[in-house]
Amino acid sequence: MSRSPESAAPVLVVDDHPDVRLALRILLQSEGIPSIDVGSAAAALDVAARTEFACAVVDLNYASDTTSGLEGLELVTRLRQEVPELPVVTMTAWGSIDIAVRAMRLGASDFIEKPWNNAHMVHTIRTQIALRRMQEENRRLRAEAALSREAGDMLRLGESSSMRRVLDLIDRIAGGDANVLVLGENGTGKSLVAREIHALSPRAEHPVIRVDMGTLPESRFAEEMFGEDQPTPRPGRFELAHGGSLILEEVGSIHPLQQAKLLRVVEEGELERCGGMRTRRVDVRVISTSNADLDAAIRHDRFRRDLLYRLNAMQVRLPPLRERQEDIVPLARHFILRECRRRGRGAMLLTPSAERALRGYAWPGNVRELEHTIERAVLLTPRDDIDADALSLQRRADEPVVLDSLTLPEAEELLIKQALERHGHNLQRAADALGISRQALYRRLEKWRARTGLAPIS
């Protein structure tokens, strides 16, 4: 029998009756759930210290005390102290409301009476395993959200007027509850904006769940987004984000057949898990991102107009990096500082040539390309200064030269350097291409050397 997804870690069964342990072992094995069983509280604590378990099923009554449940309650207490993330299901043939309440107060997750119903036992164990996985995911996401504050701070580095307008809009819409659509080219930082909106919202203390719609298989769309009750109870992304925000990255890539399913949840806040009949309410703010032209997608029947209306209550459009030239060098310095800290090396500085190269490049990959360029330069540069050569910026033949942010001397230097490179550093041919005399070109090179104290560009 194939192992079910929730059972990567075994279930710990604790009971002093071998027949009970055997019955549970066979039942769980028939459901594809591995288990390890022991006959005493001491053995349970010993194996729990050495093995990771998905869940524990613990008898409350043992041979030394078959009615009070005290030995089992003590075991529940010790397990909760030593493995606090482990869900514990208690069971006893001498069940009573009093023992059940005491076990739950000590941290037990659920309570089952002997003789048990097999279907109920399996359902209870699977539910506890699914809940533990959900709690672990929430802890991971909260830690990730804390780390993402650095990313939010990075957004605030923007000095350009276009980015200041974006930041002002983020500040104004974050406090509301309307769904938001973030548009922009690949690499502009749409996910950072989505996380910043969540971080500044009243939902900040609740989960923020991210889904890359471009990589989500169509065959698993409903199970992943809405959860499933059969064969294993498992919440979907909407339930995980309850009370918080759900970030749908590249929402334009959702298949049209799945868009109607998404519309109902976004519109009504209701869903049913796959294989279940119960309608569940969810309170989620949806923040979508897209690099696609969704209006064009609507015209070509690839995207639902009514879904776009629901997702696009508020819109943030991120400018490409080539349109925010003032932000390039501050962002580069931020990435340098971060990489130096990460690698435990001293501070590194950008040389004037590097800054000119950064401003003169078109950045087709936007902020993501800039980040990777700096990471590579910090890794490969042995010196404390990063110059233009260390950046290794290779301009494509069809890529425009960005000059509008350069000063006149900087633009002149860039044009001269490109002319020299095109003509193999032959001064006469470079001068002819620039429309000046060889002597005029030489004077400009000497002037540049005198101004910077460095060798002339060549």
Side-chain angles (χ1 to χ4, degrees):
M1 169 140 341
S2 61
R3 177 175 292 183
S4 54
E6 79 274 17
S7 58
V11 171
L12 173 63
V13 176
V14 189
D15 196 293
D16 61 348
H17 292 283
D19 292 344
V20 171
R21 299 200 304 273
L22 177 62
L24 269 176
R25 186 190 317 145
I26 293 173
L27 173 63
L28 295 176
Q29 184 178 8
S30 71
E31 296 292 331
I33 303 174
S35 65
I36 294 175
D37 54 87
V38 295
S40 68
L45 292 170
D46 179 65
V47 73
R50 297 181 283 105
T51 308
E52 180 181 356
F53 290 99
C55 177
V57 181
V58 174
D59 186 30
L60 289 180
N61 296 304
Y62 294 84
S64 61
D65 180 5
T66 60
T67 58
S68 72
L70 291 178
E71 189 174 358
L73 293 174
E74 174 63 21
L75 176 57
V76 171
T77 301
R78 292 285 304 278
L79 285 173
R80 297 300 296 155
Q81 289 173 345
E82 298 182 20
V83 197
E85 71 278 5
L86 179 67
V88 178
V89 176
T90 58
M91 58 180 181
T92 179
W94 301 89
S96 69
I97 295 297
D98 177 61
I99 294 178
V101 170
R102 291 170 67 186
M104 300 290 278
R105 285 177 175 171
L106 291 172
S109 304
D110 211 333
F111 185 89
I112 292 177
E113 284 191 81
K114 298 178 183 176
W116 63 77
N117 174 278
N118 281 349
H120 179 58
M121 173 67 81
V122 171
H123 178 78
T124 299
I125 291 174
R126 281 181 162 162
T127 298
Q128 293 304 320
I129 294 173
L131 287 172
R132 177 186 179 181
R133 194 167 62 240
M134 181 175 68
Q135 291 166 353
E136 290 174 346
E137 176 71 2
N138 281 338
R139 282 195 292 270
R140 184 189 67 78
L141 290 167
R142 289 179 185 276
E144 186 177 302
L147 291 174
S148 72
R149 290 309 308 148
E150 178 190 349
D153 294 340
M154 190 185 77
L155 287 173
R156 303 288 162 175
L157 293 172
E159 298 178 358
S160 62
S161 58
S162 60
M163 200 59 194
R164 285 199 298 270
R165 287 192 295 269
V166 168
L167 293 170
D168 180 63
L169 180 59
I170 290 172
D171 290 337
R172 285 189 283 117
I173 68 177
D177 213 35
N179 294 334
V180 182
L181 177 62
V182 185
L183 300 175
E185 297 178 5
N186 281 333
T188 50
K190 298 185 295 295
S191 295
L192 299 184
V193 169
R195 289 187 176 277
E196 183 71 354
I197 291 171
H198 171 79
L200 297 175
S201 75
R203 297 173 176 264
E205 296 304 314
H206 296 278
V208 53
I209 304 295
R210 182 185 67 86
V211 189
D212 185 348
M213 308 308 296
T215 61
L216 182 63
E218 183 185 348
S219 61
R220 290 289 301 170
F221 179 88
E223 290 86 351
E224 290 297 322
M225 298 305 296
F226 313 133
E228 52 189 338
D229 272 342
Q230 298 293 336
T232 303
R234 186 172 68 89
R237 304 300 179 93
F238 271 96
E239 286 185 76
L240 290 173
H242 180 69
S245 302
L246 180 63
I247 300 176
L248 304 181
E249 293 188 348
E250 301 309 335
V251 72
S253 62
I254 302 176
H255 192 279
L257 294 178
Q258 309 295 356
Q259 293 174 21
K261 301 175 185 178
L262 182 62
L263 175 62
R264 183 220 168 177
V265 185
V266 173
E267 195 170 45
E268 302 175 10
E270 294 182 348
L271 59 85
E272 288 88 32
R273 291 180 180 176
C274 296
M277 299 295 292
R278 174 186 165 195
T279 297
R280 302 169 187 268
R281 294 283 305 174
V282 288
D283 172 24
V284 173
R285 185 184 198 181
V286 179
I287 307 174
S288 308
T289 76
S290 180
N291 65 355
D293 185 343
L294 296 181
D295 290 326
I298 289 173
R299 291 194 299 271
H300 291 89
D301 295 323
R302 294 195 304 268
F303 204 83
R304 294 179 62 111
R305 189 180 299 275
D306 48 2
L307 178 57
L308 180 60
Y309 287 157
R310 290 295 178 182
L311 298 177
N312 195 25
M314 302 296 296
Q315 185 181 114
V316 178
R317 188 176 294 272
L318 268 176
L321 190 56
R322 62 182 174 274
E323 294 179 8
R324 36 185 295 215
Q325 291 284 313
E326 302 95 321
D327 301 339
I328 294 175
V329 172
L331 283 170
R333 290 171 178 159
H334 169 79
F335 292 138
I336 289 172
L337 180 61
R338 188 190 66 187
E339 284 302 302
C340 288
R341 287 174 175 169
R342 181 180 298 172
R343 300 182 184 281
R345 64 177 299 173
M348 302 179 72
L349 299 175
L350 290 168
T351 67
S353 70
E355 293 187 7
R356 286 192 296 273
L358 290 170
R359 290 194 298 267
Y361 184 64
W363 298 108
N366 291 296
V367 178
R368 185 181 297 129
E369 183 183 6
L370 172 62
E371 180 180 13
H372 293 166
T373 296
I374 295 300
E375 288 177 355
R376 182 179 64 246
V378 171
L379 177 64
L380 298 178
T381 303
R383 305 179 304 277
D384 291 336
D385 292 336
I386 297 176
D387 58 19
D389 290 338
L391 297 173
S392 302
L393 295 176
Q394 300 296 324
R395 189 172 65 85
R396 300 193 311 266
D398 60 343
E399 185 179 299
V401 179
V402 181
L403 295 176
D404 56 359
S405 69
L406 303 183
T407 64
L408 183 58
E410 289 173 344
E412 180 183 77
E413 181 188 333
L414 178 62
L415 291 173
I416 292 174
K417 182 175 183 179
Q418 291 175 349
L420 288 168
E421 289 174 349
R422 285 198 310 271
H423 297 283
H425 298 277
N426 184 292
L427 291 183
Q428 186 59 61
R429 283 187 289 175
D432 292 341
L434 292 166
I436 59 177
S437 67
R438 186 178 187 280
Q439 292 77 13
L441 174 57
Y442 188 78
R443 285 197 299 272
R444 282 171 169 78
L445 294 175
E446 288 297 316
K447 179 180 177 183
W448 187 86
R449 179 166 56 182
R451 184 176 75 250
T452 62
L454 300 174
I457 52 178
S458 58

